[in-house]
Amino acid sequence: MAAKYGVTNPVPPWKTSLDGLCDALDQSACATNVPDFKERRDEEDALSATLYSDLPYPENQLVALAHSLVVRGVIDETELQDRLTRIRARLEA
């Protein structure tokens, strides 16, 4: 996909934020619904290999994490959509 759009660095700028979020979740003990490191990685691997296998990496990692957090009730779909809409508006401003 990077070559298709002439991107020389195929790692998107948001990947460091995703890694930081995953690190924070891995260290989190504040909520029972937050997956620990093993649960998060197992779910990510399973979802990336099945439901999100058509997505490139790291997009599949991002979508798998969002999927897991929604299923666990850590964030609901409406709140996630609202946050994505606000981020998109800032990026397009």
Side-chain angles (χ1 to χ4, degrees), residues 4 6-7 10-12 14 16-20 24 27 37 39 41 46 50 68 76-77 80 86-87 93:
K4 178 180 176 182
V7 175
V11 179
W14 50 262
T16 55
S17 296
L18 175 60
D19 291 342
Q27 301 301 317
F37 174 79
E39 291 170 328
R41 285 305 309 271
T50 56
S68 293
D76 67 40
E77 288 185 56
L80 179 60
R86 286 184 283 155
I87 291 167

Side-chain angles (χ1 to χ4, degrees), residues 11-44:
V11 179
W14 50 262
K15 178 67 167 102
T16 55
S17 296
L18 175 60
D19 291 342
L21 177 61
C22 289
D23 288 345
L25 289 171
D26 294 344
Q27 301 301 317
S28 177
C30 64
T32 57
N33 289 345
V34 175
D36 64 24
F37 174 79
K38 182 171 179 355
E39 291 170 328
R40 182 183 62 75
R41 285 305 309 271
D42 288 348
E43 289 174 12
E44 177 186 316

